[in-house]
Each structure stands twice: as structure tokens, then as C-alpha cells.
Amino acid sequence: YAVFYTDKYILLKTILCVKCRGMEIVMDEYKKKILENAGIDMDEVLERFMGNTGLMDKFFSKFLNDMNYTKLNTAILCGDASGAFLAAHTLKGLCGDLYFKDLGKIVCKQTYLLKGGDMESATAIMPQVAQEYEKLSAAFKDCLPLAV
């Protein structure tokens, strides 16, 4: 836990305290760094969830169970351009909402390729999508729960 004295923070163990809209947010610094390295803009996520790490746990866990990556992968393998577009577009929105910037960037590119009918190029970048997805999933498996 962390002890607070006015604007000065005394940090015990590896707890990081961040101010967010006047609220005190307590989060494990090690976990925050892992998630940032996986491509998440943690400052933006913390602000979006108003520091509620329990709620962040809920949404990040739902991401692990979301089927859109599987649908995208299946559609790409089967040559289903409309199915791939729908899955990529949905995944792009999810990444934007949760500030998954690295995965979001490559899925955004893939969405535009699919929208333009360029299935060959969209298929070619699937290994990059897979790499970013796996990096993010591994970080969640290592870090959840976030709530301290």
C-alpha cells in the first residue's frame, strides 16, 4: 500500500501513485511498465477509467475472451474478405477504446486494406497483427489483476 502526505508521495514496495483528475490512483509500477511495453497507453487508460483498476481488470479480461482476433485469423485463412473486414474493424474499435496503440495501429492499416479490397496485402500483414496480439495477451496474462 502507499501512504500519502499532501502532494508528496511515500512509495512502499513498487506501488506507483498517479494523479488523475484530482483522484489518487494506486497501481503496481512493474505491471504498468509491462503493459506499456505491450503497447498500451496506460496514462490514457487510467484517465478513461478514472483510476478504477478493478474496472480496467474487467475490460482487459474481456479482451482476452473476445473472439474477433480468432474470427479475423479464420477469415484471412479462408479468404473471406467481408468476414475479415468485419472482424478487423471491430478489433480496431476495441483497440481505440482501450488505447491498445500498437495492435490498433496495425489493425487499422489492415482494416483500410480490406475496405479497399486488397486482401493480399491484408493477409501479408497478418503476422504483424498476430505478433502484437500475442504480445498484448501475454502482458494481460502476466499482469491481471491490476487492482491492488
Side-chain angles (χ1 to χ4, degrees):
Y1 66 97
V3 179
F4 304 102
Y5 291 106
T6 62
D7 286 330
K8 295 182 181 174
Y9 302 126
I10 297 174
L11 301 177
L12 302 176
K13 299 189 180 177
T14 59
I15 303 297
L16 173 66
C17 303
V18 183
K19 279 200 168 192
C20 176
R21 295 185 186 189
M23 297 175 56
E24 302 295 342
I25 302 165
V26 180
M27 185 174 182
D28 184 296
E29 184 175 0
Y30 177 72
K31 289 180 180 182
K32 182 180 180 193
K33 187 57 77 182
I34 288 173
L35 294 171
E36 287 172 340
N37 289 339
I40 303 173
D41 187 335
M42 287 304 296
D43 292 331
E44 290 292 335
V45 174
L46 284 164
E47 187 172 331
R48 165 157 266 170
F49 287 95
M50 298 187 314
N52 186 337
T53 53
L55 190 57
M56 288 170 56
D57 282 342
K58 181 178 178 178
F59 277 86
F60 289 170
S61 294
K62 284 185 181 280
F63 173 80
L64 289 172
N65 296 318
D66 183 79
M67 294 302 297
N68 283 295
Y69 172 74
T70 303
K71 289 176 184 178
L72 173 62
N73 203 28
T74 302
I76 290 286
L77 289 172
C78 294
D80 177 8
S82 64
F85 173 76
L86 181 60
H89 189 268
T90 304
L91 194 56
K92 179 184 82 153
L94 180 63
C95 291
D97 288 341
L98 296 175
Y99 297 97
F100 302 163
K101 59 183 179 171
D102 291 352
L103 178 60
K105 184 177 179 180
I106 192 69
V107 172
C108 184
K109 180 178 180 179
Q110 191 174 43
T111 300
Y112 287 114
L113 290 169
L114 290 164
K115 186 176 184 178
D118 191 353
M119 185 71 170
E120 186 177 331
S121 296
T123 301
I125 65 170
M126 196 61 200
Q128 292 172 281
V129 173
Q131 180 182 1
E132 292 302 327
Y133 181 86
E134 292 304 323
K135 182 172 71 171
L136 195 55
S137 294
F140 286 144
K141 289 173 184 170
D142 287 345
C143 293
L144 294 179
L146 298 171
V148 289

